Amino acid sequence: MPFGDGETILDVTRRAGRQVPTLCHDDRLKPAGACRTCLVQIEGARRLAPACSTKAGDGMQVTTANERIDEHRQNLLALYLVDHHQGHDDCEDGAPCELHAMAAAYGAPTDWEPLPLARAERPNDDNPYIEFRADRCIACARCTRYCDEVEGVSAITMAKRGIETTVSTADALGLFDTTCELCGGCVAVCPTGAMAEKMPLVAKAPPERKLHKVRTTCNYCGVGCQMDINVDGYGNNGKGQVAKITSPPPGTLPSDGNLCVKGRFAYDFIDHPDRLKVPLVRNAQGELKEATWEEALAAAAKGLRAVEAEHGKDALAFVSSSRCTVEENYLVQKLARVAFGTNNVHQCAAT
Amino acid sequence: MREESRRASVPEELQKAHAAGEDATNVAAKTTGVPAADVFGVDTFFNLLGESEKKLRVCTGLSCRLAGSEKILAQAQAAGLGATESSCLAACDRAPAVLKERRTLVEITAADIKRSGGDWKELDSKEVPQHLRWSGHVWPAESKPKTCAINLAGKPNWSGAASTLATEMGDEAVLAAIDEAGLQGRGGAGFPAAFKWRSVRGQAETKRYVVLNADEAEPGTFKDREVMMKRPDLVLEGLAIAARIVRATEIYMYIRGEFEIPQQVMADAIERTQSAGLYSELHFHIHSGHGAYICGEETALLESLEGKRGQPREKPPFPTEVGLWGKPTLIQNVETIACVPSILTRGGEWFKALGKTQPGSKLYCISGHVANPGVYEMPLGICLDDLVQAAGGYIGKLKAFSPGGASSGFLPASERKRPLDFKALAEIGSMLGSAGVVVLNESVDMAWAAQEQLLFFERESCGQCSPCRIGTAYQRHLLDGYISKRGQDGAKDSLSKLSMVSKEMIEGSICGLGQTASLPLTSAIQYFPGEFA
């Protein structure tokens, strides 16, 4: 197989269509070589080598599966399972579990007596979005490396050592009290559902594998991040319910699978009872009443003109939303300047 | 300050903040500019930082256990001293040992505990008061410069003669002498020293470092402690010679955190040589460890020096190419580097001839069931019987021994005539390692002994790679299961998964800790099957 400068054995084997399992790897992160699932045999080397972090070399002969490697994978995965939530289906009450799937694919024994849980949780973290489920964690450090290397936020870390190695924050504080921006990238990169979403709709929804994914473009701002809307076809009394938002795989343009707090977590408005679907105008008693668009726009215009008449043009200001398109933003400034004669115009994404 | 040196100071800043009773994570994060979460990750990795509220730690090393440290711990707890357990404190020759903050107290007795009156600050050994710069018994007791490369009983020589000689000889002649001497690394791996020196010397990158590995923590090992205490002159001179050969000016001395006294001795030695104008072109830095055995592994040591969690790196690349801050780095053990001056002054041929089966004299640490535990400088390749004879004989009847620390597993009494060298021990799946020899007599239950060693590895696994993180805990879980059912039918079934677990630990672990951690149990079962029936 030909290979490019800096390519790893994993890069080359993937191109060759060979299956090499990985748990701690993510294309956006520096290889860690820590999960040990990707060990392969290099001709002439005494020890097996991690495919993810070993550079391909001239004339290198690599074996990705043989009796020795199979035995290693089975024993390794059996060890992982004794330190993990028991039972494949039960474990997948949220996101799919790559560990259980891998153990099944490689025929790892599942009957080893489990160890008691040694990883600490952070039960007092009251942020409404992300929870850490220690029994699912395999300490692969994908989440902490993602938080460091991709987001540059460093809100989470691997803490303690040995069998107690866990994911934590500084002083095990709740995420609200850290540098966390709640982008949920840790949830997206977690292979086993240990970093999990705790939004109410997710709690009510079936496991992710039973949801229907629809690829779309986030419309919270103009970046154009790709996202997968996960629809529960039976939810909302059979009308269908958006149950969660997940990341498309790394490499998906333009956002490489990354999302922000809005894109990932601000979706419960869709079927929310408080959602505005028709214009409302206050009547003489101050109560909001359903109106036509013509009535609503007329009421708004009247109010604006009244402010202008009493306090002058610059008493008015216009702020548009980052959800607006370029054309809509253009129209907002046009409205401000031409219709009302003020330069007080802004957009929420401007800094 | 450069970013890398700010990060490197994280452990030290944490230590200071803890000592001052401050909010350590945030104070250290603020001082260093390192994210608070990363600082917390470091804090919780090192026992002496993250658990700094624990003031007394009783050694659980095998030799201390044999000397009754379990009772000492129970008594200390009963006395309200808030004592906890510690991995081996490298004071096996003066067991049982207790760590008070960062000072190792030796030969602690029940009377000492009683005398403390329940106040940890008052605990002290009546035999060896802590204000003493205590050291251990060494052999030969008198100076023997002709047969000992290190010669622990010799007077320190502050003349810098070997270093001057090295300059006169020229670099190639120095390397040739080290080569001729056949000097192998004495930290555990036995890697040829000259090969490493040449490798660092030949790198294209011009910034290089020399690192002294004084993180002596392999259970049963306490020789580097003695070298630093008694011959700090040789350590500095060896380092200076090595630095000149590999063209480095910065020398980092990584000394374990429990070695408060050896750290002071080395600091005094640096001060002494520098004020006398010796090695003035070199900068010696002492970096204290903070309670993590794994940092004796050279790449974990480098991570720790850089102020990170002490997790080993994948090799290759080796530190000789990509070491401290990514630069070529020569890392040598204390004993290895201390052999260098006499190799130059007396010649490589002389050093080589000191050995019996392999080159050089060797510092053997002997403890456990022997009359005079201590550090014995003897020809490399002597056997256990020779060593114990010098150490005043066995206490009781020899049953088993560990030839090179916990990582070397156990050997039966029938191996008492086998040369204690790199090659002969490797042939039977053991190793010389750090030459920490622990002798066990007939009173010892091998399942118990294995359990103690397994607990050590479990406690000291860094947790980075799963075969070791889970394997060390699981093999101990299996052994506990066996011990709890011992004597009953089917007790042995508890160990049915052990061969698969140990195989995977050897196959899959990143570093030597995981690769050797099952040896105490598998060797005990191999040689003493009757005790695992």
Side-chain angles (χ1 to χ4, degrees), chain A residues 32-36 39 46-50 53-54 68-69 71-73 75-76 79-83 109 111-116 119 137-140 148 153-166 168-173, chain B residues 23 25-26 35-47 51 87 290-294 309 311 314 458-474 477-478 497 499-501 503-510 515:
Chain A
C35 77
R36 313 310 277 172
L39 296 190
R46 190 174 57 88
R47 296 194 58 81
L48 300 179
S53 61
T54 309
R68 178 180 175 189
I69 297 170
E71 189 185 5
H72 146 68
R73 283 180 189 154
N75 289 339
L76 173 66
L79 273 178
Y80 268 117
L81 290 178
V82 302
D83 188 33
D111 60 341
W112 292 17
E113 190 195 342
L115 281 173
R119 279 176 297 281
C137 180
I138 55 167
C140 68
D148 279 346
V153 165
S154 298
I156 50 176
T157 177
M158 299 311 289
K160 308 284 277 186
R161 71 184 190 207
I163 194 71
E164 294 181 341
T165 305
T166 190
S168 189
T169 55
D171 294 330
L173 294 169
Chain B
D23 168 11
T25 306
N26 288 313
D38 293 1
V39 170
F40 184 72
V42 172
D43 196 55
T44 55
F45 187 88
F46 294 97
N47 287 339
E51 297 172 357
S87 293
H290 298 278
Y293 161 74
I294 190 58
R309 291 163 61 81
Q311 298 182 164
E314 188 74 46
E458 180 184 0
R459 201 180 278 135
E460 297 297 339
S461 166
C462 84
Q464 178 184 208
C465 75
S466 34
C468 176
R469 181 182 68 244
I470 309 169
T472 51
Y474 203 58
H477 174 78
L478 297 178
K497 306 283 189 288
S499 63
M500 286 178 274
V501 175
K503 198 164 184 188
E504 176 50 25
M505 290 169 72
I506 295 166
E507 188 80 291
S509 297
I510 291 178
Q515 289 162 22

Side-chain angles (χ1 to χ4, degrees), chain B residues 99-397:
Chain B
L99 189 72
K100 176 168 148 182
E101 292 196 299
R102 297 197 173 212
R103 175 68 61 100
T104 304
L105 313 178
V106 292
E107 296 168 23
I108 289 288
T109 62
D112 294 331
I113 288 173
K114 206 168 168 202
R115 219 159 12 85
S116 73
D119 180 355
W120 67 270
K121 289 192 194 93
E122 295 300 318
L123 183 68
D124 198 1
S125 161
K126 198 174 177 190
E127 293 303 313
V128 191
Q130 63 158 316
H131 67 271
L132 295 182
R133 284 188 170 187
W134 63 265
S135 63
H137 169 71
V138 298
W139 189 92
E142 67 282 9
S143 178
K144 288 269 174 74
K146 284 189 184 148
T147 55
C148 294
I150 292 178
N151 191 23
L152 287 168
K155 265 184 72 168
N157 174 353
W158 301 103
S159 70
S163 161
T164 312
L165 178 64
T167 315
E168 288 163 13
M169 285 166 73
D171 294 356
E172 283 306 327
V174 170
L175 284 165
I178 306 289
D179 245 345
E180 194 182 21
L183 177 64
Q184 288 174 273
R186 271 128 167 84
F191 197 79
F195 190 91
K196 277 207 248 184
W197 293 29
R198 284 213 171 86
S199 174
V200 176
R201 193 175 148 83
Q203 296 298 316
E205 167 64 51
T206 53
K207 182 79 192 169
R208 295 107 188 250
Y209 295 103
V210 170
V211 171
L212 178 74
N213 185 345
D215 194 45
E216 182 171 56
E218 178 70 38
T221 312
F222 44 91
K223 63 188 177 62
D224 295 340
R225 181 200 80 203
E226 284 304 299
V227 177
M228 289 189 283
M229 291 298 292
K230 298 203 164 83
R231 298 306 306 267
D233 56 318
L234 296 178
V235 179
L236 292 189
E237 191 161 33
L239 286 169
I241 293 166
R244 208 167 297 147
I245 299 292
V246 304
R247 304 270 190 274
T249 54
E250 303 296 321
I251 299 169
Y252 289 86
M253 307 166 72
Y254 190 103
I255 308 178
R256 72 178 289 191
E258 296 84 348
F259 277 178
E260 200 175 56
I261 305 175
Q263 283 180 14
Q264 281 172 14
V265 174
M266 290 313 302
D268 292 349
I270 293 169
E271 169 67 30
R272 178 176 188 148
T273 51
Q274 301 252 306
S275 60
L278 271 179
Y279 324 133
S280 54
E281 75 284 16
L282 301 173
H283 303 111
F284 293 90
H285 310 269
I286 291 181
H287 181 104
S288 176
H290 298 278
Y293 161 74
I294 190 58
C295 293
E297 196 283 335
E298 59 181 5
T299 58
L301 185 153
L302 293 177
E303 290 286 300
S304 172
L305 258 183
E306 292 179 7
K308 303 174 192 157
R309 291 163 61 81
Q311 298 182 164
R313 301 173 182 171
E314 188 74 46
K315 292 189 275 193
F318 291 92
T320 49
E321 287 173 60
V322 183
L324 189 59
W325 295 304
K327 305 296 182 195
T329 303
L330 176 71
I331 308 175
Q332 297 271 226
N333 165 261
V334 174
E335 182 188 352
T336 317
I337 211 78
C339 288
V340 170
S342 64
I343 289 175
L344 298 190
T345 51
R346 293 184 174 267
E349 217 24 75
W350 167 82
F351 180 84
K352 193 175 177 184
L354 291 179
K356 189 172 175 190
T357 57
Q358 285 188 293
S361 58
K362 177 78 192 81
L363 299 180
Y364 290 96
C365 320
I366 188 152
S367 64
H369 290 135
V370 293
N372 303 317
V375 177
Y376 290 71
E377 183 163 12
M378 297 186 82
L380 181 52
I382 49 125
C383 67
L384 182 72
D385 276 351
D386 295 343
L387 180 60
V388 174
Q389 196 184 8
Y394 296 101
I395 294 175
K397 185 166 176 252

